[in-house]
Amino acid sequence: MSWNRRTHFIIVCLITFLTGLAAASLQAKDQIVLTVLYDNYTATEGIESDWGFSCLIEGMEKVILFDAGAKSDLLFRNAERLNVDLDKVQMIVISHSHFDHAGGIAKILDNNPEVTVYFPASFRKELVDNIAAKSAKPVRVSEPVEIFRGAYLTGEMGYGIKEQSLILDTEEGLVIITGCSHQGIVNILERAKELHQKNIYLVFGGFHLLQHSDEQINEIIQKFKLLGVKKCGATHCTGGQAIGLFEEAYGEDFISIGAGKVLRFSH
Ligand SMILES: [Fe+2]
Ligand SMILES: [Fe+2]
């Protein structure tokens, strides 16, 4: 190879390499990564299960922790084993005041007192006092709100145990994360559609259908289909029978959720 041809070859290789590198970093930057840290089920070997729910959202404008499970120690052990750093959490969204969603918050507030915590307006007073005592910024949520570009809260919903859910706007469609769905899973989906007029790509979390009959669960599944919910990840307090029926109805579009599960989306 002559000197000129060799130089040309090296330059072409270098440009190809740099273009690939830039594309890869752009792709990594544009990816939303959801890591389930706490759940009644496990999806990864070595990750512990326990009654509760927590999911970390990375790759957007802010790092959010949606719910914090029941026990701080278990939450941190799972996070460490999954190589995620809870000290980077900038916002915490607590779906509702039940211990299996709010109990694990204490250690995060100790390590990271600057965090902003969004919780339903009707949250129990002692929990609000705990948050305020740690110098975190408590934010009561009543109405639907955009917490930053592409991340929304449904607002406080329901009559008995009031609850909020998180909606992420991704390239694939809306991704909805639920705590226990005490406000009704179909009500959450309808609220999301009403607010965003976009297709629902995925809903996952607890659906709270433990006391429902097969007939009632199948009616709910029909409503999911009518609302155009593409994929579903029923877990946590949904109940084994209901999880089985969703899995049957959704087939390949059923996403098996458990602690250690990682989901990626574009935005
Ligand atoms: Fe729960
Ligand atoms: Fe609950």
Side-chain angles (χ1 to χ4, degrees):
M1 211 185 267
S2 72
W3 173 253
N4 271 351
R5 285 187 68 186
R6 189 180 299 154
T7 311
H8 181 251
F9 176 74
I10 291 170
I11 290 172
V12 169
C13 285
L14 202 65
I15 290 171
T16 311
F17 173 73
L18 289 174
T19 312
L21 205 68
S25 78
L26 207 66
Q27 201 180 15
K29 198 178 145 228
D30 284 337
Q31 206 163 59
I32 305 173
V33 183
L34 309 186
T35 308
V36 179
L37 294 176
Y38 211 108
D39 192 29
N40 300 37
Y41 306 91
T42 41
T44 304
E45 210 176 310
I47 303 303
E48 294 171 65
S49 62
D50 186 38
W51 188 285
F53 189 72
S54 176
C55 179
L56 185 74
I57 296 108
E58 296 173 285
M60 299 185 84
E61 214 174 291
K62 307 262 183 191
V63 177
I64 321 173
L65 187 72
F66 177 81
D67 283 346
K71 302 166 193 153
S72 273
D73 288 351
L74 198 152
L75 179 72
F76 274 77
R77 270 202 306 278
N78 277 351
E80 203 185 329
R81 285 172 191 158
L82 290 163
N83 267 325
V84 299
D85 184 1
L86 288 176
D87 290 350
K88 286 188 186 155
V89 170
Q90 293 158 294
M91 290 179 167
I92 301 174
V93 172
I94 299 291
S95 61
H96 64 299
S97 62
H98 281 165
F99 188 73
D100 53 328
H101 299 259
I105 198 175
K107 198 166 163 185
I108 306 174
L109 297 182
D110 283 340
N111 290 3
N112 190 1
E114 306 281 291
V115 77
T116 305
V117 187
Y118 294 87
F119 50 86
S122 60
F123 219 48
R124 281 191 278 129
K125 190 185 174 303
E126 73 261 32
L127 290 172
V128 182
D129 291 346
N130 284 346
I131 296 165
K134 302 279 185 184
S135 81
K137 188 184 166 209
V139 182
R140 285 177 185 276
V141 180
S142 300
E143 297 304 314
V145 61
E146 180 179 32
I147 51 176
F148 57 80
R149 196 173 60 84
Y152 308 85
L153 301 177
T154 55
E156 186 181 60
M157 296 172 67
Y159 299 100
I161 303 152
K162 295 193 176 181
E163 185 168 337
Q164 61 178 346
S165 310
L166 179 66
I167 304 168
L168 305 176
D169 190 1
T170 77
E171 253 178 24
E172 287 88 348
L174 302 178
V175 172
I176 304 169
I177 312 176
T178 65
C180 271
S181 301
H182 292 295
Q183 71 273 53
I185 183 64
V186 173
N187 295 336
I188 299 169
L189 301 174
E190 285 173 347
R191 167 78 57 106
K193 283 279 262 202
E194 204 179 285
L195 292 170
H196 299 284
Q197 285 102 40
K198 283 194 172 178
N199 68 305
I200 299 171
Y201 180 72
L202 166 68
V203 56
F204 74 97
F207 296 174
H208 205 70
L209 302 173
L210 276 159
Q211 311 295 328
H212 286 58
S213 67
D214 283 11
E215 204 186 340
Q216 289 169 317
I217 297 164
N218 283 324
E219 269 173 34
I220 290 171
I221 292 173
Q222 284 317 308
K223 285 181 184 156
F224 268 57
K225 300 274 185 181
L226 283 172
L227 286 161
V229 178
K230 174 97 176 67
K231 291 178 188 257
C232 150
T235 190
H236 176 46
C237 60
T238 302
Q241 180 67 6
I243 291 177
L245 291 172
F246 271 102
E247 196 170 357
E248 217 173 274
Y250 268 86
E252 279 186 359
D253 284 328
F254 181 84
I255 299 185
S256 202
I257 302 289
K261 182 79 179 180
V262 179
L263 301 165
R264 293 171 199 277
F265 303 94
S266 310
H267 71 111

